[in-house]
Amino acid sequence: MWVSDDGKAAVYLAASAGFCFGVHRAVDTVYDQIKEGKPPICTYGPIIHNEMVVADLKRHGVVEIDDEAQLSGIREGTVVIRSHGVPERIYEQIRGQGLKLVDATCPYVKKIHQIVKEKSAEGFQIVIIGNAHHPEVEGIMGWCSSPAIVIGTEEEAQKLVESGIQKPLCVVSQTTFNLKKFHKLVEIITQLRYHESAILNTICNATEERQTEADAIAQIADAMIVIGGRNSSNTQKLVDICRKECESTFFVQTFDDLNLRLVPSRGIVGISAGASTPNNIIEEVSKQCRKTILLNRC
Ligand code: F3S
């Protein structure tokens, strides 16, 4: 935390802001492949939800594959699987086409793949708490031997309870799901008490820590700045969490999106950032805020 000389303004940067371990690993993996110098190098989907990083990789010749149809057209080279993971059939397709597979799936996501694969084979109904259209959830679904149910709202959880489902449930979560919401949905699902259920909180610590810290800062802040990619779901969740506590929450991709005139020049300005936000962008926002709010206050 940086405080102005008169003690009337402060900028508080969350310690947990920025790349998580899994994203770091995935981005490093692609740059390592570039260094190896054996093109063409493709990533299955953008390696992270950050336009700046993706653009830099493109400048280095990295090609993004968006779906299975596009993958079918790749005849040579390396395919890197991003931290979100992919369905099992994509591994088979990459290998079947004789391509080199480099797996940068985050180990925490990989663990969920193993759980749902085993539990669905044992006859459990897999329930994924998360967003059905998020690539991580699509990937998890692709490791289940029978169709998974995805729920993201209390209404959907209630519907599941009312469906009279008879199979034992195995409940897992998207790694970046909101922790409080996860507990709420589990509370509803566990009304199905007669079932032998396995409830597994697979929200990763990095997400939990980031959300808890952003929540705590937002509670005392007069304005919050959340930095992250437009398509980053974990950043969007941070924005939602912060907005609940602090009305003046600004969602920016880079410093250029931030209108500092809207940020109060007194009180506390908190800064947090999603798991796919590079450090240089966080540093730039933090530096400019300190310069403007702490040094040039009127
Ligand atoms: Fe992995 Fe958690 Fe990041 S699951 S990709 S370390 S948010």
Side-chain angles (χ1 to χ4, degrees):
M1 164 133 59
W2 297 270
V3 183
S4 63
D5 290 343
D6 62 4
K8 288 182 178 160
V11 174
Y12 193 151
L13 173 62
S16 57
F19 277 8
C20 62
F21 147 80
V23 165
H24 228 295
R25 185 172 165 269
V27 173
D28 286 353
T29 302
V30 183
Y31 282 107
D32 287 349
Q33 291 300 313
I34 294 169
K35 268 191 226 140
E36 265 193 33
K38 289 183 195 148
I41 299 159
C42 308
T43 62
Y44 197 88
I47 194 75
I48 58 170
H49 293 302
N50 188 284
E51 288 171 16
M52 275 63 68
V53 175
V54 170
D56 187 56
L57 291 175
K58 204 172 170 189
R59 275 195 293 278
H60 282 85
V62 175
V63 176
E64 192 185 305
I65 303 170
D66 291 322
D67 53 34
E68 287 160 80
Q70 227 178 314
L71 175 60
S72 312
I74 306 290
R75 295 279 160 256
E76 53 169 349
T78 302
V79 180
V80 182
I81 293 175
R82 57 183 169 172
S83 56
H84 288 326
V86 292
E88 192 173 19
R89 63 176 186 279
I90 303 295
Y91 286 73
E92 288 156 12
Q93 189 177 346
I94 294 170
R95 291 192 181 114
Q97 288 177 213
L99 304 168
K100 181 177 160 195
L101 189 156
V102 175
D103 192 356
T105 305
C106 176
Y108 299 128
V109 177
K110 202 89 207 125
K111 178 86 190 139
I112 305 176
H113 293 172
Q114 281 162 7
I115 293 170
V116 298
K117 187 172 173 152
E118 275 171 33
K119 289 289 182 189
S120 61
E122 286 169 21
F124 282 76
Q125 169 63 56
I126 304 298
V127 176
I128 306 166
I129 295 189
N131 172 357
H133 305 295
H134 190 279
E136 182 192 319
V137 174
E138 288 172 351
I140 297 169
M141 289 163 85
W143 287 83
C144 303
S145 55
S146 56
I149 296 171
V150 183
I151 58 170
T153 63
E154 292 182 29
E155 293 72 34
E156 286 165 351
Q158 197 55 47
K159 243 190 194 166
L160 174 70
V161 171
E162 288 160 9
S163 70
I165 193 160
Q166 291 303 315
K167 275 167 102 180
L169 305 182
C170 170
V171 181
V172 294
S173 172
Q174 184 179 340
T175 53
T176 50
F177 202 75
N178 181 305
L179 183 67
K180 281 187 194 162
K181 217 166 147 192
F182 171 82
H183 287 308
K184 183 74 213 160
L185 299 188
V186 164
E187 203 182 297
I188 298 172
I189 295 169
T190 46
Q191 287 171 28
L192 289 161
R193 283 182 207 287
Y194 53 91
H195 281 305
E196 175 206 347
S197 298
I199 312 274
L200 302 155
N201 174 359
T202 50
I203 296 175
C204 98
N205 284 346
T207 305
E208 201 176 314
E209 276 166 26
R210 191 189 316 275
Q211 291 177 353
T212 308
E213 194 185 15
D215 191 27
I217 298 174
Q219 285 178 30
I220 55 161
D222 298 278
M224 275 303 287
I225 300 166
V226 181
I227 318 161
R230 239 189 301 270
N231 301 321
S232 159
S233 95
N234 79 86
T235 307
Q236 189 53 62
K237 279 182 197 116
L238 281 182
V239 173
D240 295 344
I241 289 169
C242 292
R243 255 192 204 132
K244 267 199 190 127
E245 301 298 339
C246 176
E247 220 175 287
S248 302
T249 293
F250 303 93
F251 180 8
V252 299
Q253 290 214 95
T254 66
F255 175 67
D256 294 340
D257 300 335
L258 182 64
N259 182 353
L260 271 171
R261 266 179 294 212
L262 299 176
V263 179
S265 56
R266 283 168 191 265
I268 297 174
V269 174
I271 303 173
S272 183
S276 46
T277 309
N279 261 340
N280 58 327
I281 297 179
I282 300 170
E283 189 40 48
E284 169 75 355
V285 173
S286 161
K287 199 172 93 192
Q288 295 299 342
C289 283
R290 271 144 42 203
K291 224 161 96 185
T292 312
I293 300 166
L294 303 184
L295 302 176
N296 299 331
R297 290 182 316 114
C298 21

